[in-house]
Structure formats: structure tokens, C-alpha cells
Amino acid sequence: MPIRPILRYPHPGLKAVCAPVTAFDSSLAELAEDLLATMRAAPGVGITAAHIGVLSRVTVLELDRAAGMRLYVNPEITWVSKETMSHAEGSVSMPGATDEVTRPRAIRFRYQDGEGAVHKDAAEGFLAICLQHEIDQLDGIFWLQRLSRLKRERLVKKWEKTQD
């Protein structure tokens, strides 16, 4: 369960679209464990394989340590509510930078577990926001792209000053 290096914004790998997982084997289980260790060390509540330079559709969430890790393989949103909510978002690839992002309040989605079984589920509130954020990343959409151009430019400039 090694902690892996996290790609930092503006690394081009953060804009890459991830490929579907087809092998549900021990290497997938190891990747999930590495993602969990890396996310906890960052710290964060969600991470994708893309954040560590692995272009596979795998994400791990841990919103509550007591509830444990949730692994989502090949997640796909199938429906979004018209009702929206705003929440402060950030990224393990851009530590310390956050801003309000507005997204659908509820979603329905499909994913596979670590053994390849297909599941359909629904989420609302913070879980829905986190899933949308991580699925965006798997699709090559870094969270900054959900901000207005002005907000994005201000945030990037402020963040770059902290990187010297």
C-alpha cells in the first residue's frame, strides 16, 4: 500500500480521458489500496487513478473513515437532477486551492466493483458532488473548468504564488 506521487496542476495527465478497466484482478485491488493510502496522505476525500498518472477509470472515495473506502470502477452518471447545489471543491493535485462549484444536487450512476459486478445507485448532496467531481476527472475535466474564466484565472494566479 505505497503512497504514490500525485500529479500537480497543470500536468497534462490531468486532462487525459481515462480508459475503461477490463481486468478485475489483483493489480486492480493493489491500485485501489494505493489510491486509498495516497488520498489519506494528501489528505483528501476522493482520488482517481489519473491523479497518480494511471489512466484507468478507477476512483476511491472515503467521506467518513469509519464507513471506509468506496471503490468505483468505470463509473458513469446516467441521470442528474435539475436542482443544483454549490460546494467548495479542490483537488489533491492542487493542494490549498478551493472555490465554490455548482453541480446537480442528485445523480443516478452505474459502476463496477473490484470484482467486476455492475451496480446501479443514486446519490445526493455531498456524495453526489464528490462522484461528479471524480467522474469529471476520469473524463479529463479538471475541476477548475467548472469555474467561470475570471474565478479560474484568479484562483490559478493565487495558487501559483504559493508554489514558489
Side-chain angles (χ1 to χ4, degrees), residues 53-71:
V54 177
L55 299 180
S56 296
R57 295 189 70 81
V58 178
T59 189
V60 165
L61 294 179
E62 187 178 61
L63 307 186
D64 175 7
R65 191 121 181 205
M69 171 188 84
R70 298 179 190 193
L71 171 65

Side-chain angles (χ1 to χ4, degrees), residues 84-106:
T84 61
M85 66 181 281
S86 295
H87 196 278
E89 293 189 26
S91 174
V92 295
S93 292
M94 200 176 188
T98 62
D99 209 329
E100 292 285 316
V101 177
T102 301
R103 295 183 183 271
R105 175 179 288 282

Side-chain angles (χ1 to χ4, degrees), residues 11-90:
H11 193 286
L14 297 171
K15 292 182 179 179
V17 176
C18 294
V21 171
T22 56
F24 294 83
D25 55 18
S26 61
S27 64
L28 177 60
E30 288 173 22
L31 174 61
E33 291 299 321
D34 290 357
L35 285 170
L36 179 62
T38 303
M39 179 190 70
R40 285 179 174 168
V45 296
I47 193 169
T48 67
H51 285 110
I52 61 169
V54 177
L55 299 180
S56 296
R57 295 189 70 81
V58 178
T59 189
V60 165
L61 294 179
E62 187 178 61
L63 307 186
D64 175 7
R65 191 121 181 205
M69 171 188 84
R70 298 179 190 193
L71 171 65
Y72 300 97
V73 181
N74 299 325
E76 175 186 4
I77 295 171
T78 58
W79 173 87
V80 298
S81 67
K82 290 181 182 174
E83 185 182 1
T84 61
M85 66 181 281
S86 295
H87 196 278
E89 293 189 26

